[in-house]
Amino acid sequence: MLRQWDIVLVPYPTESNPHYLILISPDYLAGNEDFQNLNGLVCSTIRPPDRPIRSHEVFLDQADSFENKTACRCHLIIEFAREDILQTRGQVSLNRQLAIKRKLREIFAL
């Protein structure tokens, strides 16, 4: 069963270049198979690994199931089909969940 803050691999932006997304749809939607479309935040590996954080990002690492330093891009929410999930990877750590929530409030003035 999917839950909010799960990390899922989807064919975004293309099938040949899939990316991990952080599932941000609430549990009552994520866990309900009747809801076919979900929302996520795109994650990508930091290159070069020592580049500074950008204003719309939160960095993720091993505590969040990523082997390499990874950026969660909080400025763009992607809708994806549940059936397109290729793999689940784990969950975002509590500290990063809080950082992402703060960043979303900051970006979208919530």
Side-chain angles (χ1 to χ4, degrees), residues 86-103:
L86 304 171
Q87 171 186 347
T88 58
R89 183 175 193 126
Q91 273 213 325
V92 177
S93 68
L94 181 57
N95 287 339
R96 295 314 188 311
Q97 289 177 28
L98 297 173
I100 292 168
K101 288 178 188 181
R102 281 192 302 272
K103 187 61 69 174

Side-chain angles (χ1 to χ4, degrees), residues 2-101:
L2 292 174
R3 298 185 51 126
Q4 187 176 53
W5 302 112
D6 282 349
I7 300 166
V8 296
L9 182 66
V10 298
Y12 174 87
T14 64
E15 287 186 32
S16 62
N17 188 23
H19 277 73
Y20 284 100
L21 302 180
I22 295 174
L23 178 60
I24 60 169
S25 296
D27 285 346
Y28 74 90
L29 297 176
N32 186 337
E33 297 284 333
D34 291 335
F35 290 93
Q36 292 304 306
N37 293 333
L38 302 169
N39 296 294
L41 300 171
V42 178
C43 299
S44 58
T45 303
I46 300 298
R47 291 189 184 100
D50 60 344
R51 84 153 167 82
I53 193 167
R54 296 178 181 149
S55 64
H56 60 278
E57 296 175 330
V58 171
F59 281 164
L60 308 169
D61 60 21
Q62 293 86 3
D64 308 295
S65 304
F66 288 100
E67 296 169 15
N68 300 307
K69 192 174 182 183
T70 301
C72 170
R73 298 187 214 149
C74 297
H75 69 296
L76 182 61
I77 298 171
I78 302 298
E79 180 181 19
F80 65 96
R82 176 188 303 271
E83 67 188 22
D84 289 342
I85 295 173
L86 304 171
Q87 171 186 347
T88 58
R89 183 175 193 126
Q91 273 213 325
V92 177
S93 68
L94 181 57
N95 287 339
R96 295 314 188 311
Q97 289 177 28
L98 297 173
I100 292 168
K101 288 178 188 181

